[in-house]
Amino acid sequence: MNDDYSPTKDSLGFIIYRTSLALKSALQRFFKEQGVEITAEQWAIIRHLWDEDGLSQREIAEKTSKDKPNITRMVDALEEKRLLFRQPDPRDRRKYCIYLTKEGKQLQERLWPLAQNLRERVTHNLTPAEIDLLKDTLNKIYQNITGL
């Protein structure tokens, strides 16, 4: 057996997990350097609301692949930071729609360029074809997992 081989370090799951943690950490650090205290998970919520303001918590959970209790906690935290607010759904009073505040909308000007810059930095030595192949491969793995 190769002395450089490690069952953990060479595990696909470990490599994906480690990369995901590093990416989240870098994103949060970039935001913190700009004086914005939000997590990568909170960023995902804000990012979806920039595209489609007024989503329900269930829709946000589906779009971010998070469970509803986690979404509720993150929405609570973002509401405390005055970045979004809940409003009863006029079609179904049991549901709430989530909307960005003025401050939440204005974050797009500050945070979007940081996220773009991070994406460029983490893919700087990859060709567009390699990036497409990586995305395709990870999506295939995801489909395989969800099909189990």
Side-chain angles (χ1 to χ4, degrees):
M1 187 185 301
N2 182 344
D3 288 336
D4 293 332
Y5 174 78
S6 164
T8 303
K9 288 182 184 176
D10 291 331
S11 159
L12 180 61
F14 176 76
I15 293 167
I16 292 170
Y17 176 74
R18 179 186 64 188
T19 303
S20 175
L21 284 179
L23 188 56
K24 286 179 188 180
S25 177
L27 185 66
Q28 287 172 204
R29 187 176 62 251
F30 273 37
F31 291 163
K32 189 173 185 175
E33 288 168 359
Q34 293 298 310
V36 180
E37 296 279 343
I38 63 170
T39 66
E41 288 81 8
Q42 291 169 345
W43 154 257
I45 292 172
I46 291 170
R47 174 71 183 83
H48 283 289
L49 291 172
W50 286 337
D51 288 341
E52 190 177 354
D53 213 11
L55 294 170
S56 70
Q57 288 186 205
R58 182 186 52 78
E59 291 168 322
I60 292 170
E62 289 170 4
K63 289 179 181 289
T64 60
S65 299
K66 298 287 182 189
D67 61 28
K68 198 167 183 282
N70 275 329
I71 293 300
T72 298
R73 282 190 293 277
M74 288 186 278
V75 167
D76 287 346
L78 289 167
E79 198 169 32
E80 283 180 31
K81 295 175 185 187
R82 299 183 181 356
L83 298 176
L84 53 76
F85 65 94
R86 293 175 173 96
Q87 186 170 313
D89 186 330
R91 299 169 307 240
D92 184 348
R93 297 207 183 260
R94 296 169 296 170
K95 290 178 17 184
Y96 285 88
C97 296
I98 312 301
Y99 294 92
L100 291 168
T101 63
K102 181 180 175 183
E103 292 83 4
K105 290 176 184 175
Q106 289 174 339
L107 278 180
Q108 187 170 11
E109 294 173 23
R110 290 173 59 199
L111 300 185
W112 186 247
L114 295 175
Q116 295 294 99
N117 179 270
L118 178 61
R119 183 176 51 158
E120 290 169 13
R121 290 174 68 178
V122 301
T123 60
H124 80 277
N125 59 348
L126 300 174
T127 67
E130 288 173 322
I131 294 168
D132 288 342
L133 178 61
L134 177 61
K135 287 178 188 178
D136 186 53
T137 303
L138 290 172
N139 281 324
K140 284 179 183 176
I141 291 170
Y142 179 79
Q143 288 170 354
N144 290 343
I145 293 168
T146 58
L148 294 177

